[in-house]
Amino acid sequence: MRKLIRTLRSSMAANVIGAIILLLVICGLLVSSIGMASFATAFKNEYATSTYHMADTATALINGDHLEDYLDGLESEEYEKTRSNLDIYCKKMSVSLIYVILVDRSDYGRFVSVFNSVDNSVDNSSYVPWELGHKRDTTNDEYRERYRALYEKESCFETIYRTHPTDGQHPHITTLVPVTKSSGEVAAILCMQRPMSELEEASRPFVQKIAFSTILLSIIAVAFAAVFFKRQVVEPVKIASDEASRFARENTKGKPIGKISKYEEIARLATSIDTMETDMVNYMEHLTTLTADKQRISTELSLATQIQATMMPHIYPAFPDRTEFDIYALMHPAKEVGGDFYDFFLIDEDHLCMVMADVSGKGIPAALFMMASKIILQSCAMLGQSAAEILTKTNEAICSNNQAGMFITVWLGILEISSGKLTAANAGHEYPVIKRADGAFEVMKDKHGLVIGALEGVRYREYELQFEPGMKLFLYTDGVPEASDAENRMFGLPRMLSALNADKDAGPEKLLNHVLDAMGDFVKDAEQFDDTTMLCLEYRGKET
């Protein structure tokens, strides 16, 4: 044993092999650490964004005007219904906690609980729900500052990470969003706590792949070094090297090298080159087949893009014989096919229906869900129902067979062309933008209902707007304000409104192109992960 150890220590091949293995292990650990850090950062950002949307959607279930009444024992029936809906939403969204609190604004150091939904099964936690009116001091100065920022509208949401809790709980993320009154004043704060176990589950395959790759590379390096440093006869190796060079240059199979040395190591090298030539020729033939298959898939995706585009109105002017209004829309999917969609069509000669929607998820699944949703919405609309009834019927149809658990945000409006009266309903979609005849474009914060597909039995409410000649309506999906540049800064509503107001009297098509150009100047070459969809209506009224 000692003799073997001395031999290995004096062997250059053994030392080189050992050094290669050590270097690969160090590189594997370094790459794994960097990759895990980048992966965790990207995952946490995506996790925070999705949790914010879930929390913001939950605020649609709460009547901000009645929170103090609940604490006074009033509106008890409405309170119980809201609490039940929050409990259902908490379980459906797989979050640990959803709670609504009224914070003492004198120093933000205390708060009182209004709603508290708990689902301990999500993360094997042991939270005990707070009763209505439960009072408690603010956890720490960090929470105090986050409360103040939301109440004073310095931010639309706040995110707090607890990756290493000291209170015995599991790692989690807490997202805070404001609950507003009908006047727009912040009435309370909704907090949603979501476990971060998915981060560990998602990172495990990554670590396993790094470990497997490091081991595989170490094995390959050992085999190569053993062959390379044990060569003792130059000429046979040169023959093998020349044949390998010829094959790399010509990519054609040559005459087999055969047994060119009495040494087993060199003989194996020669055999390996012969086998490599055969395998590489077969591989190149196989690669040609794979390239053809890839081209076929690319062609099919291109065809799917064309089919999706033709599913939405795309010929303009859309209604050349109608002078009472002008309408234009566009969609740029982030992938080959997208989940956003718009639609507009005449229900009858005096009613124009407009739809702007955004399906959860991306790619082919979202596109299929989008096409089904579009057909359901249009079918319900053609029955002559109101905007609220259309969304209610669509939600019933989608919830009845939604095994994928997908949902969709929808803004739907029906314009009575002769009178200019617009009846609209909003299922968790972005706020519409309105320009009055003598004014500028501004966001209209309408009442949001729950997203379609999230909960059965939801009934939607509608509202009315009176359009006068010269008024314009601008609809969009979150891909417009959330378009990001290389530094992850968002385009945002202020820039969107600025682009619209830069030439506010322009026609719908020109207005949308203004916004599109402004987005392009802002994001430049940064890759986008959400679809860009917009629609603009200009109401002209009857000619006199």
Side-chain angles (χ1 to χ4, degrees):
M1 179 61 70
R2 291 181 179 179
K3 183 178 180 180
L4 176 60
I5 294 175
R6 286 197 299 269
T7 301
L8 291 175
R9 285 179 177 177
S10 62
S11 171
M12 183 175 67
N15 281 273
V16 171
I17 292 172
I20 291 175
I21 293 175
L22 179 61
L23 181 62
L24 286 173
V25 170
I26 293 174
C27 289
L29 292 174
L30 182 61
V31 170
S32 178
S33 299
I34 296 173
M36 274 301 300
S38 301
F39 176 85
T41 300
F43 188 91
K44 286 170 67 176
N45 290 338
E46 176 64 23
Y47 214 59
T49 301
S50 63
T51 306
Y52 158 63
H53 288 304
M54 291 164 57
D56 188 52
T57 299
T59 62
L61 301 172
I62 301 169
N63 188 338
D65 295 327
H66 290 172
L67 296 179
E68 294 181 357
D69 292 340
Y70 299 156
L71 292 172
D72 293 335
L74 304 176
E75 301 289 345
S76 58
E77 183 176 349
E78 182 185 83
Y79 173 83
E80 292 299 329
K81 182 177 180 181
T82 303
R83 186 176 67 175
S84 175
N85 287 338
L86 285 175
D87 289 342
I88 294 173
Y89 190 78
C90 180
K91 294 181 182 299
K92 195 171 187 67
M93 294 295 105
S94 297
V95 297
S96 301
L97 295 173
I98 298 178
Y99 55 95
V100 179
I101 56 175
L102 271 66
V103 184
D104 182 358
R105 297 187 64 179
S106 62
D107 62 352
Y108 302 97
R110 293 161 298 281
F111 61 80
V112 59
S113 172
V114 182
F115 295 103
N116 195 261
S117 298
V118 176
D119 185 5
N120 287 317
S121 64
V122 174
D123 201 27
N124 293 323
S125 48
S126 56
Y127 295 109
V128 178
W130 294 333
E131 297 293 334
L132 173 64
H134 175 80
K135 296 180 179 180
R136 180 169 175 166
D137 291 338
T138 300
T139 303
N140 51 41
D141 289 339
E142 180 183 12
Y143 276 86
R144 191 194 308 262
E145 180 60 25
R146 302 297 179 95
Y147 294 160
R148 185 198 63 77
L150 291 173
Y151 268 99
E152 296 182 13
K153 298 185 177 180
E154 292 180 1
S155 63
C156 59
F157 75 99
E158 295 288 338
T159 301
I160 298 175
Y161 295 94
R162 288 290 179 266
T163 55
H164 300 90
T166 58
D167 56 358
Q169 300 298 339
H170 300 295
H172 60 268
I173 179 177
T174 300
T175 296
L176 293 73
V177 296
V179 178
T180 59
K181 297 181 180 180
S182 57
S183 63
E185 178 186 357
V186 176
I189 295 176
L190 183 143
C191 306
M192 178 177 287
Q193 181 173 309
R194 187 180 181 190
M196 295 187 68
S197 55
E198 294 180 20
L199 174 59
E200 180 181 350
E201 295 173 0
S203 62
R204 188 178 299 112
F206 177 84
V207 174
Q208 291 173 347
K209 289 179 181 179
I210 291 293
F212 176 79
S213 299
T214 302
I215 294 173
L216 181 62
L217 287 174
S218 299
I219 294 174
I220 294 174
V222 169
F224 176 78
V227 173
F228 182 81
F229 285 99
K230 289 181 180 179
R231 292 181 302 181
Q232 298 181 16
V233 181
V234 176
E235 195 59 34
V237 173
K238 185 176 183 301
I239 294 174
S241 177
D242 290 344
E243 175 57 20
S245 299
R246 184 205 64 79
F247 180 77
R249 183 176 60 254
E250 300 176 3
N251 290 327
T252 57
K253 186 175 181 180
K255 183 178 179 181
I257 299 176
K259 188 175 180 62
I260 59 174
S261 174
K262 64 179 181 179
Y263 297 107
E264 183 181 355
E265 293 83 357
I266 299 177
R268 282 206 305 265
L269 176 62
T271 303
S272 297
I273 291 177
D274 289 338
T275 303
M276 177 196 70
E277 290 186 359
T278 301
D279 292 344
M280 287 296 293
V281 170
N282 293 336
Y283 172 76
M284 286 185 288
E285 293 175 354
H286 181 58
L287 186 61
T288 302
T289 303
L290 289 178
T291 302
D293 290 341
K294 185 177 180 180
Q295 182 63 38
R296 176 181 56 80
I297 293 172
S298 176
T299 302
E300 291 177 353
L301 280 175
S302 177
L303 180 60
T305 303
Q306 297 176 22
I307 292 173
Q308 186 181 38
T310 56
M311 282 285 292
M312 290 175 279
H314 58 282
I315 299 175
Y316 298 98
F319 306 100
D321 56 337
R322 303 303 296 261
T323 60
E324 305 98 319
F325 64 91
D326 187 18
I327 192 168
Y328 188 82
L330 57 82
M331 185 190 80
H332 290 171
K335 296 185 177 181
E336 289 85 353
V337 288
D340 288 4
F341 74 89
Y342 66 85
D343 202 0
F344 54 82
F345 50 89
L346 288 170
I347 298 175
D348 54 43
E349 288 299 314
D350 195 35
H351 292 87
L352 173 70
C353 182
M354 294 168 288
V355 179
M356 181 63 63
D358 186 359
V359 174
S360 62
K362 298 289 180 290
I364 295 295
L368 293 174
F369 193 76
M370 175 275 283
M371 296 174 75
S373 301
K374 179 181 180 298
I375 293 171
I376 294 172
L377 276 166
Q378 186 171 16
S379 298
C380 293
M382 293 306 292
L383 295 176
Q385 298 175 325
S386 68
E389 290 173 338
I390 293 170
L391 294 189
T392 299
K393 292 295 184 183
T394 301
N395 183 66
E396 291 176 359
I398 290 177
C399 286
S400 66
N401 188 20
N402 187 14
Q403 298 179 357
M406 301 181 73
F407 59 86
I408 177 172
T409 69
V410 180
W411 185 97
L412 184 143
I414 299 175
L415 175 67
E416 189 174 68
I417 301 171
S418 59
S419 66
K421 183 178 74 171
L422 176 73
T423 305
N426 192 331
H429 196 71
E430 305 293 323
Y431 293 123
V433 176
I434 300 292
K435 176 195 173 297
R436 304 199 178 274
D438 56 351
F441 281 97
E442 55 186 23
V443 174
M444 190 194 81
K445 293 190 175 181
D446 58 356
K447 183 65 176 177
H448 281 193
L450 193 64
V451 295
I452 288 178
L455 188 65
E456 295 182 4
V458 176
R459 301 194 65 84
Y460 295 89
R461 290 180 289 178
E462 60 188 36
Y463 59 91
E464 292 184 359
L465 286 175
Q466 183 59 47
F467 271 64
E468 302 295 337
M471 282 186 64
K472 294 175 183 175
L473 169 69
F474 176 76
L475 305 174
Y476 57 97
T477 58
D478 58 4
V480 177
E482 294 180 7
S484 302
D485 63 6
E487 298 178 1
N488 289 325
R489 295 177 302 178
M490 291 188 179
F491 184 62
L493 288 177
R495 290 188 180 89
M496 185 184 78
L497 291 174
S498 177
L500 288 169
N501 288 315
D503 191 5
K504 59 186 178 182
D505 295 324
E509 181 177 1
K510 192 173 181 181
L511 279 170
L512 296 194
N513 286 323
H514 273 320
V515 178
L516 205 60
D517 291 342
M519 291 175 61
D521 293 340
F522 177 76
V523 304
K524 294 183 171 56
D525 297 329
E527 183 180 2
Q528 300 303 302
F529 299 96
D530 210 347
D531 307 331
T532 300
T533 309
M534 297 180 283
L535 180 150
C536 184
L537 167 79
E538 179 180 5
Y539 182 69
R540 297 170 179 168
K542 291 188 176 180
E543 294 183 352
T544 58

